[in-house]
Amino acid sequence: LLKPPEVGQLILPFAVLFSGIFTFWRLNRTSELYVMRAAGLSALQFTLPLIFAAFCIGLIATTVINPISSVLLAKFEKMEDRYIKKTGNLISVTKNGVWLRQNNPDGGYSLLNAAKLNTQRWTLKDIILIEFDDDNNFIRRIEAQNGKLETSAWVLERGDIYTQTPIATPFEVMNIKTDLTPQDILDTFSTVENVSFWKIPEFIKTLKETGFSTERLEVHYQSLIARPFFFAAMILLAATVSLRPSRQGGTTKMVILGVAIGFLLFFTDSMLKAFGISEKIPIFLSAWTPTIVSILLGGSVLLQQEEG
């Protein structure tokens, strides 16, 4: 029940394109387009209301549906981790740095906070680790200047251990067992869909300050901004393949061609996003190229049909 809004956002561009094709096809089949043209309306004039409607749908999808979906998806992932994966590991990033929660092998759990995290070497700075037992009773607090995530352990360097006594016990090196891996941490931030559109700019800033890569989130943010224009471009493409006069024949082939172009466009969109995330091309181009190309292609074909 928590997943449909996320799935709906994936289906919505297809719904806009197919509904646009179907609408123009019905208007064409019932000769209503001939009537509008005879009344002096250009193709752009009777297409503009549908373009505006698609733009509004995209605007609502970005500003309303996406924030709701992000909240539900985050709750879904927490429930999945608790009841299905049963790892007990939680990872988040705040203005105070990286926060990690892990289950201890001997029982209880630990909370680890680090001001900085280098995801290239997996080193941490200014670490605070607090251990609790299964009844949430405090066991000890460990502060360390530096640390590193190695196989099955956090290696903490140059710090102090605080227990029930006010006197700290210094140490040079300490190993804390963990079942977390670098991939577990990266996977946590690879799901950009659980971040609300309104919170993305602040989250990008926080990730940069902490040391995480933000390319995936930046591409996702630009794609959300481009979504209303992308939906409008879908109507332009639908018009180019559906406004052919039925008496000339070949309408079915044009509609099939429009569906094929739509699938090709969505595939290209995913590919360009991957290029943007891997920094092969600029982030702006990876997110906006499908929209810009669709608008230029649909607009040019529509104008040619109008002149013809």
Side-chain angles (χ1 to χ4, degrees), residues 26 42 64 74 91 94 98 112 140 148 179 186 256 265 283:
R26 285 299 299 269
S42 65
V64 179
I91 305 170
T94 67
V98 184
L112 185 146
R140 62 178 180 176
K148 187 175 183 180
D179 57 357
L186 291 176
I256 294 175
L265 188 63
I283 291 175

Side-chain angles (χ1 to χ4, degrees), residues 91 122 149-150 152 178-187:
I91 305 170
W122 291 101
L149 177 59
E150 296 186 352
S152 303
T178 182
D179 57 357
L180 283 172
T181 65
Q183 192 61 43
D184 292 334
I185 299 176
L186 291 176
D187 288 344

Side-chain angles (χ1 to χ4, degrees), residues 140-215:
R140 62 178 180 176
R141 172 191 175 103
I142 303 172
E143 297 182 2
Q145 297 180 13
N146 301 300
K148 187 175 183 180
L149 177 59
E150 296 186 352
T151 305
S152 303
W154 296 101
V155 181
L156 309 182
E157 301 175 351
R158 295 187 299 277
D160 298 299
I161 302 174
Y162 298 87
T163 54
Q164 302 294 342
T165 60
I167 301 176
T169 304
F171 67 89
E172 287 296 322
V173 179
M174 173 181 287
N175 289 357
I176 303 294
K177 293 182 179 180
T178 182
D179 57 357
L180 283 172
T181 65
Q183 192 61 43
D184 292 334
I185 299 176
L186 291 176
D187 288 344
T188 301
F189 301 102
S190 63
T191 307
V192 295
E193 288 80 7
N194 59 7
V195 183
S196 170
F197 169 76
W198 302 108
K199 296 181 180 180
I200 290 179
E202 182 181 356
F203 194 55
I204 289 175
K205 181 180 178 182
T206 302
L207 287 178
K208 286 182 177 179
E209 292 175 351
T210 309
F212 281 95
S213 174
T214 61
E215 284 77 13

Side-chain angles (χ1 to χ4, degrees), residues 59 86 119 140 161 233 249 264 279-280 290:
L59 201 62
K86 297 182 179 181
T119 55
R140 62 178 180 176
I161 302 174
L264 178 62
E279 302 183 44
K280 300 293 183 181

Side-chain angles (χ1 to χ4, degrees), residues 101-136:
R101 183 191 187 279
Q102 64 178 34
N103 291 329
N104 296 332
D106 301 328
Y109 62 94
S110 299
L111 298 177
L112 185 146
N113 171 247
K116 293 285 184 179
L117 172 62
N118 186 329
T119 55
Q120 301 297 323
R121 300 180 179 178
W122 291 101
T123 56
L124 304 92
K125 289 186 177 181
D126 301 330
I127 304 165
I128 299 175
L129 188 144
I130 307 175
E131 294 182 346
F132 299 88
D133 60 20
D134 291 326
D135 297 324
N136 298 318

Side-chain angles (χ1 to χ4, degrees), residues 219 223 269 272-273 275-277 281-290:
V219 170
S223 298
D269 179 55
L272 289 175
K273 286 180 181 178
F275 285 156
I277 293 171
I281 60 176
I283 291 175
F284 180 84
L285 288 180
S286 68
W288 284 87
T289 296

